[in-house]
């Protein structure tokens, strides 16, 4: 059992960094202090809170086995706080990002050397050959380039960096076309939400297979009834039934006897677990050409919706879960969300939430979950942002839930 969460005045989120095959290299940790003096991302006060928080909850609960990238400003680099931060990062997983305004002073270069001696990797953030930062190139494991800021000069910047042989990370990549263009320029890694955007495809309609999958998804999320009813719904799909039984008999659930039927699985493991497994397996059918991180995002949002929506007692947990899960349908199907929801058998409440058209309780909950998951905290009400401990706990629990669920599948 993880320890109880500490009282904290910081919010965390993460943004994936992927290779060309859209496998996750690591996550940049996004964080924000909530007290007035902690509003900027690189103050010593906020960094101390981050150190305390990561030390308490464990960095592995936030990023799993992936690398964690954390921003570092001049004051932190030269104050000794960087070494404290490095001490709470998983061995071999921590990457300190030196911000673009940092000067390569003698003390700063010594600090970088000490960090590398501790096994911490170094990335240069928003790099554009700024005179003060350029000396750090000799110590860098990654160079990050803001593709929006570079604009028309991106190709020239990539060419100038090529002789250094340092892996390049393209930041603020918001479409697959931009990711491909960056790959052609020699970038090996890509950061942004390009993987969660629909790709342009010929044709507008949702395919027959996707339609049947989402119809079954919708049926699975109906309010709880008898276990037999859930088993019957799953049983209509032979492949899904086989997958559920295989999971129920896996090493993750050591049973004295084999689970031989769907009704057995539902009774022994519970309706919530079976619904979540079935939902994930069905979503995975739609994601055969998509990165696994997109399914992780869907599961994180689904769990966050359940946690954030708890005060709304008139909203069923399964409906909340479904809203978060289906919020990535446009990216999975490569269709505009309006096309997706207009062609699928979704209730009006769920349809409105996915389109963000109305201020229903479900729509509000989904917006809050997405804001927490993407680090868009300014869109949260002040009272929600001030409840940082509960939001942080919900977020970390959602990350762990997604990781466990994907591992089981």
């Amino acid at each position: 059992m993880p320890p109880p969460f500490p009282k904290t005045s910081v919010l965390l989120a993460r943004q994936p960094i992927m290779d060309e095959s859209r496998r996750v290299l690591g996550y940049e940790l996004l964080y924000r202090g909530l007290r007035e003096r902690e509003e900027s991302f690189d103050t010593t006060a906020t960094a101390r809170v981050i150190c305390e928080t990561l030390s308490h909850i464990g960095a592995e609960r936030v990023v799993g086995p992936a690398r964690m990238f954390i921003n570092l400003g001049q004051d932190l680099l030269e104050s000794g706080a960087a070494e404290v931060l490095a001490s709470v990062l998983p061995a071999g997983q921590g990457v300190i990002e030196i911000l673009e305004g940092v000067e390569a002073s003698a003390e700063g270069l010594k600090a970088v050397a000490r960090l590398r001696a501790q096994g911490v990797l170094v990335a240069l953030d928003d790099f554009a050959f700024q005179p003060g930062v350029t000396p750090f190139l000799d110590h860098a494991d990654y160079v990050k380039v803001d593709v929006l800021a570079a604009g028309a000069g991106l190709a020239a910047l990539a060419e100038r960096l090529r002789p250094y042989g340092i892996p390049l990370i393209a930041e603020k990549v918001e479409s697959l076309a931009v990711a491909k263009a960056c790959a052609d320029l020699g970038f090996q890694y890509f950061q942004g939400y390009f993987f969660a955007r629909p790709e342009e495809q010929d044709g507008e309609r949702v395919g027959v297979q996707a339609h049947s999958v989402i119809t079954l998804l919708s049926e699975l999320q109906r309010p709880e009834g008898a276990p037999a009813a859930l088993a019957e719904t799953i049983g209509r799909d032979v492949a899904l039934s086989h997958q559920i039984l295989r999971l129920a008999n896996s090493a993750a659930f050591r049973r004295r006897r084999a689970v031989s039927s769907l009704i057995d699985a539902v009774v022994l493991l519970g309706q919530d677990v079976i619904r979540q497994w079935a939902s994930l397996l069905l979503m995975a059918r739609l994601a055969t050409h998509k990165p696994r991180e997109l399914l992780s995002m869907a599961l994180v949002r689904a769990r966050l919706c359940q946690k954030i929506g708890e005060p709304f007692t008139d909203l069923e947990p399964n409906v909340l879960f479904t809203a978060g899960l289906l919020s990535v349908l446009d990216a999975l199907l490569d269709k505009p969300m309006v096309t997706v929801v207009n062609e699928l058998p979704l209730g009006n409440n769920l349809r409105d939430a996915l389109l963000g058209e109305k201020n229903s309780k479900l729509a509000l909950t989904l917006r809050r979950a997405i804001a927490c998951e993407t680090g868009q905290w300014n869109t949260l009400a002040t009272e929600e942002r001030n409840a940082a401990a509960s939001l942080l706990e919900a977020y970390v629990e959602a990350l762990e839930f997604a990781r466990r669920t994907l591992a089981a599948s």
Side-chain angles (χ1 to χ4, degrees):
M1 285 289 291
F5 264 65
K7 290 183 179 179
T8 182
S9 58
V10 72
L11 289 169
L12 298 181
R14 65 183 197 180
Q15 189 175 67
I17 299 170
M18 298 179 170
D19 65 14
E20 196 170 358
S21 298
R22 290 185 275 183
R23 293 184 295 261
V24 172
L25 166 73
Y27 300 91
E28 179 178 342
L29 189 69
L30 311 176
Y31 57 91
R32 179 167 189 170
L34 294 177
R35 300 190 187 109
E36 185 177 351
R37 70 175 190 276
E38 296 174 3
E39 282 300 312
S40 66
F41 288 152
D42 59 337
T43 62
T44 302
T46 301
R48 285 176 181 151
V49 175
I50 288 293
C51 288
E52 293 169 4
T53 303
L54 289 178
S55 178
H56 185 87
I57 67 177
E60 69 281 358
R61 296 175 67 189
V62 180
V63 298
R67 290 181 175 166
M68 178 185 284
F69 289 66
I70 301 183
N71 289 336
L72 196 69
Q74 189 90 41
D75 53 348
L76 298 184
L77 185 62
E78 297 182 357
S79 68
E83 282 88 336
V84 177
L85 186 57
S87 70
V88 301
L89 297 176
Q93 289 181 247
V95 184
I96 295 297
E97 292 192 27
I98 298 177
L99 296 175
E100 66 274 17
V102 174
E103 293 289 328
S105 63
E107 186 54 44
L109 289 168
K110 289 178 183 177
V112 167
R114 290 194 299 270
L115 287 170
R116 292 176 64 84
Q118 288 182 258
V120 177
L121 302 177
V122 173
L124 305 184
D125 190 37
D126 292 345
F127 187 78
F129 282 96
Q130 303 93 327
V133 186
T134 300
F136 285 121
L137 273 176
D138 293 334
H139 308 276
D141 299 283
Y142 302 100
V143 171
K144 301 179 76 175
V145 175
D146 183 333
V147 300
L148 297 181
L154 183 62
L157 181 55
E159 184 63 29
R160 191 176 172 188
L161 282 164
R162 192 185 309 277
Y164 291 89
I166 304 171
L168 304 181
I169 301 173
E171 292 185 280
K172 298 184 181 175
V173 179
E174 295 303 312
S175 72
L176 186 64
V178 172
K180 289 178 177 176
C182 290
D184 290 341
L185 294 176
F187 285 85
Q188 292 98 324
Y189 301 102
F190 313 90
Q191 179 176 349
Y193 289 110
F194 67 99
F195 71 94
R197 306 279 189 259
E199 299 176 27
E200 291 187 9
Q201 301 283 340
D202 294 332
E204 283 292 312
R205 295 189 63 80
V206 174
V208 173
Q209 181 183 8
H211 194 287
S212 62
V213 166
I214 297 166
T215 299
L216 183 53
L217 265 172
S218 300
E219 292 180 14
L220 284 173
Q221 310 308 326
R222 289 173 179 168
E224 289 191 15
L230 178 57
E232 182 182 355
T233 299
I234 295 172
R236 296 204 298 269
D237 188 301
V238 175
L240 181 62
S241 301
H242 175 73
Q243 287 175 298
I244 292 292
L245 287 174
R246 182 170 56 81
L247 280 170
N249 284 296
S250 69
F253 297 92
R254 294 183 176 87
R255 301 286 175 191
R256 291 183 179 179
R257 63 179 179 83
V259 177
S260 57
S261 67
L262 287 173
I263 188 67
D264 261 1
V266 175
V267 170
L268 289 171
L269 299 177
Q271 294 196 46
D272 283 346
V273 169
I274 298 300
R275 276 195 176 91
Q276 288 160 6
W277 276 359
S279 298
L280 173 64
L281 292 167
L282 288 170
M283 290 284 282
R285 290 186 191 177
L286 305 177
T288 53
H289 64 301
K290 294 291 183 176
R292 198 166 176 83
E293 185 65 17
L294 192 57
L295 291 178
S296 176
M297 174 185 281
L299 289 166
V300 170
R301 290 181 181 181
R303 193 64 158 185
L304 275 173
C305 279
Q306 285 186 319
K307 299 296 288 185
I308 294 172
E310 283 178 351
F312 300 133
T313 55
D314 54 332
L315 288 179
E316 291 284 343
N318 291 325
V319 172
L320 291 163
F321 188 88
T322 304
L325 196 69
L326 299 189
S327 67
V328 303
L329 271 183
D330 54 345
L332 282 176
L333 301 177
D334 290 321
K335 306 290 182 187
M337 187 63 84
V338 65
T339 300
V340 174
V341 300
N342 284 338
E343 293 189 19
L344 297 175
L346 305 175
N348 289 335
N349 196 25
L350 183 55
R351 176 191 181 281
D352 291 341
L354 292 174
L355 291 178
E357 290 183 343
K358 297 182 180 178
N359 287 322
S360 67
K361 294 176 183 177
L362 186 60
L364 181 62
T365 301
L366 179 58
R367 282 201 298 274
R368 289 169 175 168
I370 293 173
C372 286
E373 184 259 327
T374 57
Q376 297 174 346
W377 301 298
N378 285 336
T379 64
L380 295 172
T382 302
E383 60 270 18
E384 291 175 298
R385 286 189 282 120
N386 288 339
S390 59
L391 283 175
L392 178 58
E393 183 171 10
Y395 178 64
V396 173
E397 195 277 334
L399 292 177
E400 290 186 297
F401 166 78
R403 192 157 49 245
R404 287 196 311 269
T405 305
L406 286 172
S409 65

